[in-house]
Amino acid sequence: MRQLAELLGVGSVEVIKQLMRNGILANINQAVDFDAASSVVVSFGYEVQKPQAAPRASPVRKEEGGELEPRPPVITIMGHVDHGKTSLLDAIRQTNVIATEVGAITQHIGAYQVEVDGRKITFLDTPGHEAFTAMRARGAQATDITVLVVAADDGVMPQTVEAINHARAAGVPIVVAINKIDKPDANPEVVKQRLADLGLVIEEWSGDVVCVSISAKKRQGISELLENLLLVADILELKADPNCPAEGVVVEAGLDKTRGSLVTFLVQKGTLGIGDALVVGNVWGKVKAMFDDLGRHIKKAGPATPVEVLGVNGIPQAGDTFMVVSDEHRARSILEERAAKAQRETSAFSEPLSLSALSAQISSGRVKELNIILKTDVQGSIEPLKDSLERLSTEELKVKVIHSGSGSIIESDVLLALASKGVIVGFNARPQPGARRLAEVEGISIRYYDVIYELVEDVEKALKGMLEPTYTEVVEGHAEVRAIFSAGKKGKVAGIYIKEGKISREASARILRQGEIVCESRIGSLKRFKGDVKEVVAGFECGVGIEGFIDFQVGDIIESYRREEVT
Ligand code: GDP
């Protein structure tokens, strides 16, 4: 239920209420059956897609057009430090690498593929949610499934929770691997319970989260984990068109002393081939040579294949996307277009993630959610704050606390805000220096509070601003044009007499001639005795310039008005 509420982006109370309307009484930690869940889903205006819901029922990603063929899943491993992410990646690689040549030496290119029952699985081998979200912050969605590693002797730790929230924010399903079960003090049941508290209810407990117990060290449970990943991949129906021009993301990039720029791509659709011209991030290139994760020369790389490429004229960043284009000429012109676009957007995006800027984006219909990352000084204040914030949601606008935790604001919080277009709220919590710098560079807004009331009120205000604002016009005054003067080279100002109300410098203005509007604009200048004034009231004379208008006639009426927002 909690999961359902999160998926729908509504408060749990809403879900409970809807169930009650359907005659079902359930609490938030309870699981409900498919029919009950779908009736709730439909009532919130969503479509129910699949009876066998994938873990976290993430949307089935289908590509448009072209002949779609099944493709391997792309997996990222996440979890708390020292819980065994690297050991698991090593264990998987060593036991299942596609080693056709005996003794082939695996090399680190940022991703690798293994084969299980004749099917391939691709692993991104920079583990952790920081790398995952950093890629997402650059616009790349490379991962299909996350393996959440939790050490059975240590249990759910802060970074476990972070990983869960980062995966959820990305809508990526989670498969749990309870690691280190070889240890005498391993306690998998405690782990399962804590995960259930966090809304990850495993299948064994009638939930929908796949959970496998493993020992990365002793190589136990590895093939079971891999088989389960394939099962989840089947539910997700991962497909891609192998025949279109290749597209994908940069997994890793670096400089080789002798060979120049070496970039690992994850091909996401199409097939990359030798000689292909491509654009990647801010650079372009032509594929001179390609290598797989065993360092072998290859000529083609299809969907979900990681491949190391020679021939890129520069070093793109992890998470940059690439696409194959017809030729070098086209590549260059795309880059020029991109550069120009980036420049145009710099100003528009210079402050894209402050509460007020989000407000504007929401009111223009581009954003329907306010994603909040909440950090507090003490664990105890998280729940009440989260509740108060999420309760501010309305039908049109959802307030979602996508991640919360106690402690200082860290870099991965900033990355998550960036990737999820969210804001960070620190309640008696301050950022670490690195996080502060990153937030400044990326223009992420961090707001600090020490009083609950102020925090809630601010968010509420922002939400009000986010709601489609309705404006009403308030007429301030009328003036009559009595004389016309030249001003500057081509300018004209009108000498006016204020008949009623006032004319003010900041107002909008329209010019009426015999009752008809001849111009709608703004007051450009307002002067009395050569000095600029803010406003002139009824009974006085002054000079006025109207932006973009010079064709005054004596007798014209200038109406000054304001647009005011109705809340
Ligand atoms: P990471 O920080 O999550 O990448 O964790 P590592 O893979 O570096 O593992 C941390 C420590 O846990 C290392 O000393 C590993 O040898 C140990 N470790 C990892 N998996 C297991 C396991 O299944 N059993 C035991 N006993 N130790 C493990």
Side-chain angles (χ1 to χ4, degrees):
M1 282 259 305
R2 193 190 297 278
Q3 242 180 313
L4 182 61
E6 272 166 17
L7 278 171
L8 292 169
V10 300
S12 31
V13 181
E14 299 293 310
V15 174
I16 293 175
K17 274 198 275 185
Q18 191 56 40
L19 278 169
M20 279 165 73
R21 280 183 208 120
N22 301 340
I24 297 163
L25 268 179
N27 75 38
I28 191 62
N29 294 318
Q30 233 166 303
V32 289
D33 67 18
F34 177 76
D35 287 342
S38 31
S39 70
V40 173
V41 170
V42 171
S43 73
F44 282 101
Y46 291 90
E47 266 181 37
V48 182
Q49 267 203 345
K50 287 193 70 65
Q52 338 78 303
R56 299 234 349 113
S58 88
V60 178
R61 278 183 224 137
K62 285 194 176 139
E63 319 266 332
E64 303 272 311
E67 275 297 302
L68 298 184
E69 290 178 19
R71 64 163 176 86
V74 180
I75 317 286
T76 298
I77 296 191
M78 299 191 198
H80 195 72
V81 63
D82 280 346
H83 279 201
K85 300 179 292 289
T86 316
S87 307
L88 176 59
L89 277 162
D90 290 346
I92 293 169
R93 171 136 67 173
Q94 280 163 25
T95 39
N96 294 76
V97 83
I98 318 160
T100 42
E101 291 141 47
V102 180
I105 300 159
T106 57
Q107 55 172 39
H108 177 91
I109 64 165
Y112 65 82
Q113 270 190 329
V114 295
E115 209 168 273
V116 183
D117 305 333
R119 295 173 62 186
K120 287 177 180 166
I121 308 180
T122 305
F123 283 89
L124 297 180
D125 75 1
T126 312
H129 54 275
E130 294 88 351
F132 169 85
T133 298
M135 273 183 93
R136 235 165 53 79
R138 300 196 62 78
Q141 180 81 305
T143 303
D144 300 308
I145 304 168
T146 290
V147 173
L148 179 71
V149 177
V150 192
D153 60 334
D154 201 25
V156 169
M157 298 300 280
Q159 286 165 31
T160 318
V161 180
E162 273 172 36
I164 294 171
N165 291 335
H166 282 232
R168 280 180 172 165
V172 173
I174 295 170
V175 167
V176 174
I178 301 186
N179 190 29
K180 307 198 187 183
I181 49 155
D182 59 289
K183 286 193 135 183
D185 54 346
N187 196 342
E189 295 309 304
V190 171
V191 174
K192 291 173 190 172
Q193 183 55 57
R194 269 294 284 140
L195 290 174
D197 295 343
L198 295 167
L200 284 182
V201 185
I202 61 169
E203 285 179 320
E204 188 191 333
W205 294 2
S206 310
D208 55 8
V209 176
V210 176
C211 173
V212 184
S213 293
I214 61 165
S215 165
K217 193 174 179 179
K218 299 238 147 92
R219 308 277 192 265
Q220 281 166 13
I222 306 295
S223 39
E224 196 190 341
L225 174 65
L226 297 177
E227 276 154 22
N228 273 289
L229 288 175
L230 286 174
L231 276 177
V232 175
D234 285 342
I235 296 170
L236 295 175
E237 288 186 48
L238 305 168
K239 289 182 178 167
D241 177 2
N243 299 313
C244 60
E247 280 179 29
V249 299
V250 174
V251 173
E252 225 174 64
L255 199 60
D256 182 275
K257 273 195 210 107
T258 49
R259 295 185 292 176
S261 154
L262 268 178
V263 184
T264 301
F265 288 136
L266 173 72
V267 180
Q268 292 182 300
K269 62 181 184 182
T271 298
L272 188 65
I274 307 282
D276 281 351
L278 52 85
V279 177
V280 48
N282 306 322
V283 294
W284 66 278
K286 192 161 190 168
V287 180
K288 284 192 204 141
M290 299 200 293
F291 309 92
D292 67 7
D293 50 342
L294 297 173
R296 297 175 300 196
H297 269 280
I298 51 169
K299 293 209 166 71
K300 297 220 164 298
T305 310
V307 62
E308 199 178 32
V309 169
L310 267 181
V312 177
N313 302 317
I315 303 181
Q317 280 185 278
D320 275 343
T321 50
F322 80 86
M323 63 180 191
V324 164
V325 294
S326 52
D327 51 44
E328 290 178 25
H329 182 71
R330 179 82 191 109
R332 285 207 177 112
S333 69
I334 289 176
L335 284 181
E336 278 163 22
E337 278 165 32
R338 277 190 189 173
K341 191 163 171 244
Q343 206 158 26
R344 280 199 304 277
E345 285 178 353
T346 324
S347 50
F349 278 88
S350 58
E351 202 211 0
L353 297 155
S354 72
L355 215 46
S356 53
L358 267 168
S359 223
Q361 291 195 11
I362 290 200
S363 65
S364 67
R366 279 185 288 159
V367 180
K368 290 282 175 219
E369 279 179 356
L370 174 58
N371 287 332
I372 294 180
I373 290 134
L374 173 69
K375 291 310 266 294
T376 62
D377 51 344
V378 289
Q379 189 72 24
S381 29
I382 294 177
E383 277 309 310
L385 277 172
K386 208 172 146 186
D387 271 7
S388 327
L389 288 174
E390 294 190 332
R391 232 180 284 139
L392 297 174
S393 296
T394 63
E395 295 227 334
E396 295 85 20
L397 291 166
K398 308 274 179 288
V399 180
K400 264 177 137 174
V401 176
I402 56 170
H403 175 62
S404 55
S406 57
S408 31
I409 296 158
I410 53 178
E411 277 182 36
S412 84
D413 296 329
V414 179
L415 287 171
L416 184 61
L418 186 61
S420 314
K421 304 222 177 327
V423 294
I424 300 173
V425 168
F427 188 77
N428 287 325
R430 311 295 300 173
Q432 288 179 351
R436 189 199 302 272
R437 275 194 298 275
L438 185 64
E440 273 166 19
V441 171
E442 300 290 353
I444 300 286
S445 148
I446 306 181
R447 299 176 74 95
Y448 308 100
Y449 299 90
D450 49 16
V451 184
I452 292 192
Y453 168 75
E454 278 174 10
L455 160 60
V456 174
E457 197 184 57
D458 254 21
V459 172
E460 194 170 13
K461 268 192 214 146
L463 282 174
K464 284 212 177 111
M466 284 167 183
L467 292 166
E468 208 71 74
T470 12
Y471 288 99
T472 179
E473 194 181 283
V474 181
V475 173
E476 288 188 336
H478 290 104
E480 191 184 295
V481 175
R482 298 246 162 119
I484 296 139
F485 309 97
S486 295
K489 266 188 197 147
K490 286 185 185 153
K492 288 259 170 72
V493 295
I496 57 170
Y497 171 72
I498 320 307
K499 295 168 78 169
E500 54 165 324
K502 63 178 183 183
I503 303 283
S504 56
R505 175 71 185 79
E506 303 297 326
S508 297
R510 59 174 67 96
I511 301 177
L512 306 163
R513 190 169 294 157
Q514 274 128 33
E516 281 194 31
I517 300 168
V518 290
C519 166
E520 291 255 19
S521 181
R522 296 187 59 80
I523 306 281
S525 64
L526 196 64
K527 282 187 200 292
R528 249 178 86 74
F529 308 117
K530 297 206 181 326
D532 286 316
V533 286
K534 274 200 167 144
E535 58 178 33
V536 183
V537 294
F540 290 91
E541 283 184 334
C542 66
V544 69
I546 303 291
E547 275 177 20
F549 185 78
I550 50 169
D551 303 320
F552 297 102
Q553 283 184 17
V554 171
D556 284 350
I557 299 293
I558 295 177
E559 186 178 68
S560 117
Y561 65 96
R562 286 175 180 279
R563 274 154 56 81
E564 276 181 9
E565 197 178 318
V566 189
T567 44

